[in-house]
Amino acid sequence: MVVYNTIKNTGIHATKSYYVNYYIKKKNSKQKKYIGKYHYSGLGSGNTRYKKITIKLSKSIKASNYYVAAYVDTHKTVSESNETNNYKTGPIKSA
């Protein structure tokens, strides 16, 4: 599965390195399944990073319509003034 990331530092300070954790879930389900993570180096204040990554899905994930969820700084290692903008979902179809 290919995931296109856009990560923007809207703060006034540069960030240290951080991870983005990825999950998949069904549309109306609260349960999510961890599918991987990616490490990013720091990001300057006001800067945006675009990154394409590939995540190999487990064979146990059956073909269906899912949502992929990305959580930036899941373990809250980066000090932020707004911790509510670190999550984004989007639809995918696994084959």
Side-chain angles (χ1 to χ4, degrees), residues 57-70:
L57 295 178
S58 165
K59 291 182 180 185
S60 67
I61 298 172
K62 306 296 181 204
S64 185
N65 292 316
Y66 292 98
Y67 281 79
V68 64

Side-chain angles (χ1 to χ4, degrees), residues 15-19 39-43 49 73 77-78:
T15 67
K16 296 178 182 178
S17 65
Y18 55 92
Y19 283 93
H39 180 261
Y40 291 87
S41 59
L43 185 60
R49 174 170 288 134
D73 189 33
T77 58
V78 177

Side-chain angles (χ1 to χ4, degrees), residues 52-92:
K52 175 180 136 180
I53 65 164
T54 301
I55 299 172
K56 184 172 181 173
L57 295 178
S58 165
K59 291 182 180 185
S60 67
I61 298 172
K62 306 296 181 204
S64 185
N65 292 316
Y66 292 98
Y67 281 79
V68 64
Y71 290 85
V72 178
D73 189 33
T74 306
H75 301 293
K76 302 199 182 336
T77 58
V78 177
S79 178
E80 302 177 64
S81 62
N82 182 359
E83 292 283 355
T84 64
N85 62 355
N86 293 345
Y87 171 79
K88 185 76 173 176
T89 62
I92 62 166

Side-chain angles (χ1 to χ4, degrees), residues 5-54:
N5 295 276
T6 303
I7 301 170
K8 182 171 185 177
N9 178 354
T10 60
I12 60 171
H13 300 289
T15 67
K16 296 178 182 178
S17 65
Y18 55 92
Y19 283 93
V20 176
N21 289 351
Y22 299 93
Y23 302 84
I24 62 169
K25 68 182 208 87
K26 297 241 177 164
K27 183 176 183 177
N28 295 318
S29 174
K30 292 186 185 247
Q31 292 183 337
K32 58 187 182 278
K33 180 174 177 68
Y34 174 82
I35 56 172
K37 68 181 176 181
Y38 192 84
H39 180 261
Y40 291 87
S41 59
L43 185 60
S45 173
N47 290 345
T48 301
R49 174 170 288 134
Y50 302 96
K51 183 74 176 170
K52 175 180 136 180
I53 65 164
T54 301

